[in-house]
Structure formats: C-alpha cells, structure tokens
Amino acid sequence: MSTATLRETPAASTVTTAPRGLVRTVLRLHRGALWIWLAFVAGTAGFLLWLLGPGADTAQHALDTYGYSGLIRANGSADEYSSLFYYPDTLITLASFAVALFAGGPLIARELESGTAQLAWTQSVSPARWLTAKLAVPAAFIVLGTCLLTAVYRLLWSAHGNLLIAGIGPRSLYFSLGPATVAAPLLGLALGVLVGLAVRRTLPALALSGFAYFLVYAFRGNHWPFQGRYQQPELYSRSRAFTSAGAEIRDPGCYDDKACLAKHDVVRFTREYLPSSDYWPRQLLETGVLLALTAVAVALAFALLRRRAASG
C-alpha cells in the first residue's frame, strides 16, 4: 500500500505544478514585454499623480482667482494643464494597440514560426493548455495595469476635471474612463492571438493585428453604443463666484479685470462638471459588447488551434 502511495505522489505533483510551470515559461519567454508593460504602467501612473498634485497648482490658482475666464487664459498654450490632462488617455489607447501587436507577433506567431510551440505540444503540454497560458498570463497583467490607471485617472477627474476647457475633449474623456478602458486592450489581446494563430508568421501577424485593432478603434469612434469622440451625450458644467460675504453668484466673467472683481465683490471662483445619468448605462453596455467580442475571438482562436493540431 505504501508503494502505491509513493508511485502516485509524483503524478499528483506533476498535475498540480504543470500550470505553474506554464506560467513561469510564459513569463520567462516574454520578460522583456513584461518589463516594458510594468514601466509603462508605472510611468503613466506617475504622470497622473503629478497631474493630481503639483501639475494642477497653476491652473487651480487661475481658476480660484479669476474664474473660468482666467482658466482659459492660463491654458492658452498647448503645453498647459488642460492639454496635459489628455496625454494619459492617448498613452492608454496606444497601449491597447501595442497589446494587439504583441499578441499577434511575439506571443503567438513567432513561436509557431520557430517551432517552439509545436515542440511544447509534443511533450507534456497540450495545445489547449498552451493557448490558455498564453492568454491568461498577459490578460492578468493587462487587467491589473489598466484597472490601476483607470482608477487613478477617475480620481484625477474628480479632483481636477473642473480645470479642463469645455468642449468635446472633457466629454469624451469623462465617458471613456471606466470598465470599457479595461475591456478594450483585452479585445486587442484576443484579436492578436487569433491573427497570430491564423497567419503563423511574425511580421504579417504584426501588421494584420495592428490593422484589425485599428478597425475596432475606428468603429468605436463612430458607432453607437461605443463611446467615441462624437458619440457621448452632453456634459454640462457650472461656474460660480463667491462674494466677500460668502454669497454664491454666477461667474461674472471678470477675467483679470480688478475693477470688475471689485464691482461684483468677488473673492473666489469655483467650477465643476455635473455628473451624467448616461455614464453607467453607456459604460456597461460598451463594456459588455467589448467583452462579448473578446469571448468570440477567444473561442475562434481555440477552434482554430484544435483544427490545426488535428491536421498537423
């Protein structure tokens, strides 16, 4: 009986450690991409924290002193705070493209082209488990990183969204920060994996993965329910001034006119973007559509892998 137990122990150990071995293999093979992703998340988060703290000081002072009119003057340059506010959103969008390129090229197509994947399949790793690890490990880092950046970005919006010049920009940013921000790069990952399995050549997979995600990005920008630049409802703002007696009045638009400030007895200004009841319905609907498309792409990838494995 003890002999049987000894014989069964290594098999059980192999079953429990094999998934961890696959995870370690993926991390080791793509440690360069992992470090780039971590550096991107850390750098973007640091920039967001700078915007949240020191970066807002000049614009906040202009708003407090001269109202929204002064804020426009303070942000007249492209390098001013209102412009910098949108840079992290651009970086996150570019990261989604980078995820699709990485998934199609180095993650999948390069291993198929070099024969590394086929070698793993002839040993203890089934094609399905190989693909599961290839999807799960990057997806975990993508979700953790984008969740962190989205949370900090929403915190920045809550603290200093009032410093943005009114127009399409604040509306687009407000309606795009949320769960859909996390779901978008996951769709890029799934599309890249599908393209990599279909093409099995690194350079063509890179090109086609980028093109496929570009089509998704372009469609999101111009079709409902996706929250592209021109697809959001209006986002209303309210500007107010306070007199020396503490009374709240409408912003008289004094700019830096001291006579105007004295005439209205204004000592301080405030401004805010009002919350929209359309935010969560639109966010959840878009997130659901993106996740559904991701699931379809993943299912097609597994079906294609089974077909290739059976024929090859």
Side-chain angles (χ1 to χ4, degrees):
M1 181 145 182
S2 60
T3 303
T5 303
L6 289 173
R7 288 176 179 171
E8 291 172 2
T9 302
S13 176
T14 301
V15 171
T16 56
T17 60
R20 270 181 271 172
L22 272 175
V23 171
R24 284 196 299 269
T25 299
V26 174
L27 291 175
R28 186 171 65 252
L29 284 173
H30 304 289
R31 57 186 177 274
L34 173 61
W35 283 114
I36 291 173
W37 175 254
L38 293 177
F40 161 75
V41 172
T44 306
F47 184 51
L48 287 168
L49 291 175
W50 180 83
L51 290 171
L52 188 61
D57 291 346
T58 301
Q60 187 66 56
H61 177 73
L63 174 64
D64 293 340
T65 307
Y66 302 116
Y68 185 53
S69 301
L71 187 64
I72 295 174
R73 180 178 183 181
N75 286 276
S77 169
D79 295 327
E80 292 291 349
Y81 187 81
S82 187
S83 297
L84 294 175
F85 207 100
Y86 300 104
Y87 286 2
D89 181 49
T90 302
L91 291 174
I92 293 172
T93 300
L94 293 176
S96 297
F97 275 95
V99 166
L101 292 173
F102 165 73
L107 185 66
I108 298 296
R110 187 173 66 185
E111 292 201 29
L112 292 173
E113 186 176 20
S114 65
T116 306
Q118 292 85 337
L119 178 62
W121 300 346
T122 61
Q123 299 177 9
S124 59
V125 179
S126 68
R129 281 175 52 200
W130 173 83
L131 183 55
T132 299
K134 290 291 186 180
L135 284 164
V137 175
F141 283 97
I142 290 168
V143 169
L144 290 174
T146 50
C147 279
L148 172 64
L149 295 180
T150 302
V152 178
Y153 219 157
R154 292 298 303 180
L155 180 62
L156 175 63
W157 171 270
S158 299
H160 298 304
N162 59 324
L163 301 179
L164 296 179
I165 306 303
I168 293 175
R171 184 178 67 180
S172 176
L173 184 65
Y174 174 81
F175 282 100
S176 66
L177 290 176
T181 311
V182 181
L186 289 178
L187 177 57
L189 174 67
L191 285 175
V193 167
L194 179 59
V195 170
L197 286 169
V199 177
R200 295 187 292 177
R201 294 292 182 270
T202 304
L203 292 179
L206 283 169
L208 290 175
S209 297
F211 181 67
Y213 193 78
F214 172 77
L215 292 179
V216 171
Y217 179 77
F219 190 85
R220 288 181 68 195
N222 295 282
H223 295 82
W224 192 92
F226 300 111
Q227 302 187 65
R229 191 170 180 82
Y230 298 99
Q231 298 298 314
Q232 300 87 3
E234 288 295 331
L235 184 64
Y236 299 100
S237 63
R238 181 176 64 183
S239 298
R240 290 291 184 267
F242 293 90
T243 66
S244 59
E248 183 177 337
I249 63 174
R250 295 188 64 179
D251 184 350
C254 286
Y255 206 29
D256 55 355
D257 187 341
K258 294 183 179 180
C260 176
L261 294 172
K263 175 183 177 182
H264 293 90
D265 190 27
V266 171
V267 296
R268 183 170 63 87
F269 291 88
T270 185
R271 181 172 176 268
E272 63 179 334
Y273 279 101
L274 304 178
S276 172
S277 60
D278 293 297
Y279 173 78
W280 280 112
R282 294 288 294 272
Q283 266 291 321
L284 294 177
L285 182 57
E286 180 176 8
T287 303
V289 173
L290 291 174
L291 290 178
L293 292 174
T294 301
V296 170
V298 170
L300 290 174
F302 274 99
L304 180 59
L305 180 64
R306 283 194 300 268
R307 182 178 176 182
R308 287 281 168 82
S311 63

